[in-house]
Amino acid sequence: MDKCAFTLRCARKGVKAGALHGIMAADLLNGLADMLKRLLCIALLASGAMPLHASGQAAASGAAIYHALEPAFVVNLQEGRRLRFMQVKVQVMTRDKKVVDALLEHGPAVRDAMIMLLAHQSAEAMRSTSGREALRGEALSALQEVLARQAHREGGIEAVYFTDYVIQ
């Protein structure tokens, strides 16, 4: 908005001329803040820090819902001739309560997918950070596949977290 239009708008509202500079500064700051928010969103999308859904839309801005897959998963790991045990507590993050409901409804399929995935890991791979990160990605894919197959829900789970992790 140019200065003349702004002055006319303020005059109609009864704003005194001396207050115009403060109002113009406030309007400029609000406009700058909006522009910075848009730029930040673009930067986050470009960097991958703000996930996109399959539709290409930004993830819902609702509050994150964390759901623990209980009880903890315990599987055998083979390490040469030695047998090891791995216990992992897993939580998933979603923004949709219906996803949590689907995880509960299809609990046996969810647990089976996770146990099969965990049991195929090697103890050596699970000791490395990169191995655990790869497993976390595979777990996310496996859980999304179970929801797609059993509950006919695409996506919905945004992240998988290992909240407790022990190998003996």
Side-chain angles (χ1 to χ4, degrees), residues 20-96:
L20 287 180
H21 292 302
I23 293 171
M24 282 185 76
D27 279 354
L28 285 173
L29 287 175
N30 287 339
L32 261 171
D34 288 341
M35 186 185 322
L36 285 174
K37 287 177 191 173
R38 289 185 184 124
L39 287 173
L40 180 61
C41 285
I42 291 168
L44 288 171
L45 286 170
S47 71
M50 181 185 287
L52 291 177
H53 288 292
S55 66
Q57 298 296 316
S61 61
I65 301 169
Y66 295 93
H67 173 71
L69 302 179
E70 293 180 336
F73 296 94
V74 179
V75 296
N76 298 325
L77 296 178
Q78 193 68 38
E79 183 176 46
R81 293 178 34 188
R82 194 171 183 190
L83 186 63
R84 299 247 183 212
F85 295 96
M86 178 170 67
Q87 176 181 311
V88 181
K89 289 185 181 178
V90 179
Q91 289 198 11
V92 298
M93 194 271 283
T94 183
R95 297 183 192 281
D96 186 353

Side-chain angles (χ1 to χ4, degrees), residues 86-120:
M86 178 170 67
Q87 176 181 311
V88 181
K89 289 185 181 178
V90 179
Q91 289 198 11
V92 298
M93 194 271 283
T94 183
R95 297 183 192 281
D96 186 353
K97 175 75 170 101
K98 292 179 182 178
V99 171
V100 174
D101 295 340
L103 287 167
L104 292 170
E105 181 180 347
H106 301 287
V110 167
R111 289 195 63 77
D112 178 67
M114 286 300 299
I115 289 170
M116 296 304 286
L117 176 65
L118 294 170
H120 283 93

Side-chain angles (χ1 to χ4, degrees), residues 3-4 48 64 94 142:
K3 190 173 182 177
C4 291
T94 183

Side-chain angles (χ1 to χ4, degrees), residues 105-148:
E105 181 180 347
H106 301 287
V110 167
R111 289 195 63 77
D112 178 67
M114 286 300 299
I115 289 170
M116 296 304 286
L117 176 65
L118 294 170
H120 283 93
Q121 306 305 311
S122 70
E124 183 178 328
M126 294 298 92
R127 284 192 188 101
S128 72
T129 303
S130 61
R132 289 189 300 271
E133 288 174 1
L135 177 61
R136 193 170 46 212
E138 291 172 25
L140 176 61
S141 296
L143 292 172
Q144 288 176 336
E145 183 180 316
V146 168
L147 287 181

